[in-house]
Amino acid sequence: MPTPKIQSREVCSFTSKQWSGRPADGAGATFGGFSVIGFVLCLLLMTFTPALRDVGATMLFVAGFATAFTVLAIMGRNSTERAFLQCLTGTVNEVVLELTADRTNQLTPDGLRSLLVEGASLPLLVNGVSGLRLKAVRQASPKPKQNANPKAEVVTTTRIVIAATPPDYGIRSFDRLLDTVTTDPGFNAAAP
């Protein structure tokens, strides 16, 4: 007896540029960039402010400038990703509510985040019957060609899908009945 086929339907998809789950990635490079900008700004301010002409004051100014703007940049990315995740949660919850008609199956943004990060699946009941699972599937972009730029950023596409598996109970007897009806010549001959 063949195993039941799992069918899936995509609810939504997004790329790692839209939501990575790690807004602080690249904080070191951001800090380095703001350090250079801070140093150039400090050099310009030295012409007007003699107190900045000291090496210690210059280092303190550069460190404070770079730290402040790095934190602001990370907070901005975090805010953007959080807004995207809330919108994504709303889309997923609409589909889940439509399928299950049960508001208790809806996800919070933190619940969806853990589902995306862990790659786990969430079982859903439809009228008390199991068989649906909500899961996140990550797909990496294809490998670059040999002559491609080696510093190209890898973009990952994540799809949120609803996978349906027929329930295990009762399906085998129905499959045997259907198999008998379609293949047994004696069974079909008795039909009017």
Side-chain angles (χ1 to χ4, degrees):
M1 177 60 57
T3 59
K5 183 180 178 187
I6 298 174
Q7 297 179 350
S8 63
R9 180 145 310 177
E10 183 176 306
V11 175
C12 54
S13 65
F14 59 92
T15 65
S16 57
K17 293 221 179 244
Q18 293 171 303
W19 186 83
S20 66
R22 298 177 303 272
D25 269 1
T30 304
F31 183 82
F34 281 125
S35 294
V36 170
I37 293 170
F39 183 70
V40 170
L41 183 64
C42 186
L43 287 176
L44 291 174
L45 289 175
M46 280 181 192
T47 58
F48 305 113
T49 312
L52 288 176
R53 293 181 187 151
D54 181 39
V55 175
T58 301
M59 291 175 64
L60 186 63
F61 178 83
V62 169
F65 182 86
T67 301
F69 281 99
T70 301
V71 168
L72 287 174
I74 290 171
M75 287 174 54
R77 275 188 246 141
N78 188 27
S79 174
T80 303
E81 286 194 7
R82 186 179 306 248
F84 181 78
L85 188 64
Q86 286 179 341
C87 180
L88 193 65
T89 303
T91 303
V92 169
N93 281 339
E94 285 177 17
V95 172
V96 167
L97 183 62
E98 186 177 313
L99 288 173
T100 64
D102 186 9
R103 291 197 182 275
T104 60
N105 286 332
Q106 291 186 332
L107 295 168
T108 63
D110 289 335
L112 182 61
R113 178 182 171 79
S114 67
L115 184 76
L116 294 172
V117 170
E118 294 171 8
S121 63
L122 177 71
L124 301 172
L125 297 177
V126 179
N127 295 330
V129 178
S130 64
L132 283 183
R133 298 186 85 65
L134 181 71
K135 57 183 174 177
V137 179
R138 288 186 184 265
Q139 295 175 332
S141 61
K143 292 185 178 182
K145 296 179 182 176
Q146 192 173 17
N147 297 334
N149 183 5
K151 294 183 180 180
E153 185 177 341
V154 177
V155 177
T156 304
T157 301
T158 302
R159 297 178 351 185
I160 300 175
V161 297
I162 299 269
T165 306
D168 198 25
Y169 50 89
I171 195 75
R172 289 192 179 107
S173 62
F174 178 74
D175 286 343
R176 280 186 288 184
L177 177 63
L178 184 63
D179 189 41
T180 303
V181 169
T182 57
T183 59
D184 188 7
F187 190 79
N188 287 336

